[in-house]
Amino acid sequence: MLARFFRSSKRSFESLSEQEILALAIASEEDDARIYLAYADRLRREFPASAKVFEDMAEVEDTHRKSLFEIHRQRFGERIPLIRREHVHGFYERKPDWLRANLSLDAMRQETEAMEEQAYRFYVEAAKRTSDASTRELLGDLALAEQGHEDIARMLGDKHTPEDVKRDENEAVHRQFVLTYVQPGLAGLMDGSVSTLAPIFAAAFATQDTWQTFLVGLSASVGAGISMGFTEAAHDDGKISGRGSPVKRGLACGIMTALGGLGHALPYLIPHFWTATITAAIIVFFELWAIAFIQNRYMETPFLRAAFQVVLGGGLVLGAGILIGNG
C-alpha cells in the first residue's frame, strides 16, 4: 500500500524501451520547434531579424523531427507511442508559452542556448544507458546533431542579426525598459518623495507626536501611490506611444510613489521625536540624491542639473512643511 502511495506518476528513463526513447526524441523536437515559432511570432513586429533566426531554428528542429520519424517508421512502423518529456522522471523540461510571454530578447537567446545544451546532455546520457548498438549509434548521432544546433544558432544569428542589428535591437530593448518601468517609476518616486515632505513634516512639527505623524505619512504615501498608479495606467494604453503595458507602468509608478513617501514616514515609528525627525531628514537627503542619480543614469539628464532641480525642489517643499507645521 505504501509503495502504491509513494509511486511516481512518471516513468524512469531506465524503464523506457528503444521505441519509447525514439518517440520521446520526436516529441521533443516538435515541442522545441513550436517554442522557436512562438518566439518568432512575439518578436516579428519589433525585432524582425531575430524573429527570422528563430524561424530558421524551428525549421532545423522540424527537419530533425522528420528524420527521426523516418527512422521510427523503418524500425517500428507508423504508430508512435504517446510519451513526452513530462512523462519521464528527470527529463529536461520546457515551460508552456504563457510562462514565456514576458521573456526579454536576451532571455530568449539564453533560453535557446540552454535548450540545445540540455538536449545534447540528454542524448549523451541516453546513449550511455543503452545496450543495443544500433540504438546507441542513433542516440550518439542525435547528440551530435543537438551539439551542432548551437553552432547553427550562432551561424543563423550572425546571418540575420549582425552586430549593428543586435546593437539596434539591444538599444530598442533598453528604450522599452526605460519607457515601461524607469520613467513611470521615477515619476512616482519623485512624487512620493517630494510631495509627501510637506504634509509629513508639517504634521511632525505641528503635533510633536511621532505616531500621529507616522499615520499622516502612511496615509499620504499609500493614497498618493494608488492615485499615481491609476493615473499612469489610465491615461495611456501604450499602443500609440509605445510605452508598454499600462498595468506594468501603473504598478511601477504606484509602488515607487508609495515607497518614496514611506521612506521618510517609517522613521516616525521611533518614539523619540527628534531622533525620528533627524532620521527622516537623512533619508530624505539620500532619496533626493538617488532620484538625481536615476535621472542621470537612465534619462541622460546631466547630473548637476538633475541634482539642482531635485534637491532644490525637495528642499523648498521640506522647508514649506516645517514652516507650516511651526505656524
Side-chain angles (χ1 to χ4, degrees):
M1 174 135 183
L2 287 175
R4 187 184 308 162
F5 180 78
F6 287 106
R7 186 179 298 157
S8 172
S9 60
K10 294 186 177 184
R11 296 271 302 276
S12 66
F13 182 75
E14 290 85 352
S15 70
L16 299 182
S17 67
E18 295 175 13
Q19 183 182 14
E20 288 172 328
I21 290 175
L22 191 55
L24 192 57
I26 293 171
S28 300
E29 295 286 354
E30 182 177 2
D31 288 347
D32 288 352
R34 289 178 176 176
I35 290 171
Y36 292 145
L37 288 175
Y39 285 167
D41 290 340
R42 283 198 54 227
L43 295 172
R44 189 168 288 109
R45 187 169 63 87
E46 294 183 82
F47 309 108
S50 286
K52 180 59 178 172
V53 171
F54 285 114
E55 285 177 353
D56 288 353
M57 286 296 296
E59 188 175 339
V60 171
E61 298 292 316
D62 191 55
T63 299
H64 284 288
R65 181 191 63 81
K66 291 177 181 177
S67 299
L68 287 164
F69 181 75
E70 185 59 35
I71 294 173
H72 183 279
R73 177 187 287 118
Q74 293 172 6
R75 295 190 60 190
F76 303 107
E78 296 286 339
R79 191 187 69 80
I80 301 176
L82 176 58
I83 183 168
R84 309 180 77 86
R85 52 171 60 95
E86 59 266 25
H87 301 151
V88 181
H89 182 71
F91 198 82
Y92 60 95
E93 297 181 356
R94 297 286 187 264
K95 296 178 182 177
D97 284 350
W98 62 84
L99 294 180
R100 298 169 178 270
N102 294 320
L103 287 181
S104 65
L105 176 58
D106 236 11
M108 289 182 190
R109 291 170 178 166
Q110 293 172 8
E111 184 81 1
T112 300
E113 293 180 10
M115 286 168 61
E116 302 300 339
E117 176 61 25
Q118 288 170 354
Y120 166 73
R121 287 201 303 266
F122 163 73
Y123 285 126
V124 168
E125 291 303 314
K128 291 179 182 177
R129 298 176 184 177
T130 304
S131 58
D132 180 79
S134 60
T135 304
R136 188 165 55 248
E137 181 181 3
L138 170 63
L139 294 174
D141 290 343
L142 292 173
L144 291 175
E146 292 297 338
Q147 191 176 37
H149 282 190
E150 293 185 41
D151 297 330
I152 292 172
R154 201 169 296 111
M155 178 187 69
L156 292 174
D158 292 339
K159 173 184 176 183
H160 296 298
T161 56
E163 286 305 315
D164 56 337
V165 175
K166 287 182 180 178
R167 185 171 58 251
D168 291 343
E169 290 184 344
N170 290 335
E171 288 177 359
V173 170
H174 175 73
R175 183 169 59 253
Q176 191 63 57
F177 172 75
V178 170
L179 290 174
T180 303
Y181 295 103
V182 177
Q183 192 178 70
L186 179 61
L189 183 61
M190 291 177 66
D191 184 86
S193 298
V194 176
S195 68
T196 58
L197 286 175
I200 290 175
F201 281 91
F205 283 90
T207 65
Q208 301 282 305
D209 186 325
T210 58
W211 178 247
Q212 295 300 322
T213 301
F214 169 72
L215 292 179
V216 170
L218 178 63
S219 60
S221 302
V222 173
I226 294 172
S227 174
M228 287 287 289
F230 272 100
T231 300
E232 176 63 38
H235 90 278
D236 178 12
D237 62 8
K239 293 180 180 178
I240 296 178
S241 65
R243 297 180 65 219
S245 166
V247 175
K248 293 178 182 178
R249 296 195 332 268
L251 286 173
C253 186
I255 291 171
M256 293 308 294
T257 301
L259 290 177
L262 288 173
H264 42 268
L266 289 174
Y268 282 98
L269 288 171
I270 301 172
H272 189 267
F273 174 75
W274 283 109
T275 302
T277 300
I278 292 171
T279 303
I282 293 172
I283 291 175
V284 169
F285 174 82
F286 283 104
E287 284 177 344
L288 296 178
W289 283 101
I291 292 171
F293 171 79
I294 294 172
Q295 281 188 318
N296 173 255
R297 172 68 175 80
Y298 290 100
M299 310 305 293
E300 300 181 0
T301 304
F303 185 76
L304 291 178
R305 189 174 78 184
F308 177 77
Q309 292 172 343
V310 174
V311 176
L312 177 62
L316 291 173
V317 175
L318 175 61
I322 294 174
L323 288 174
I324 292 170
N326 283 323

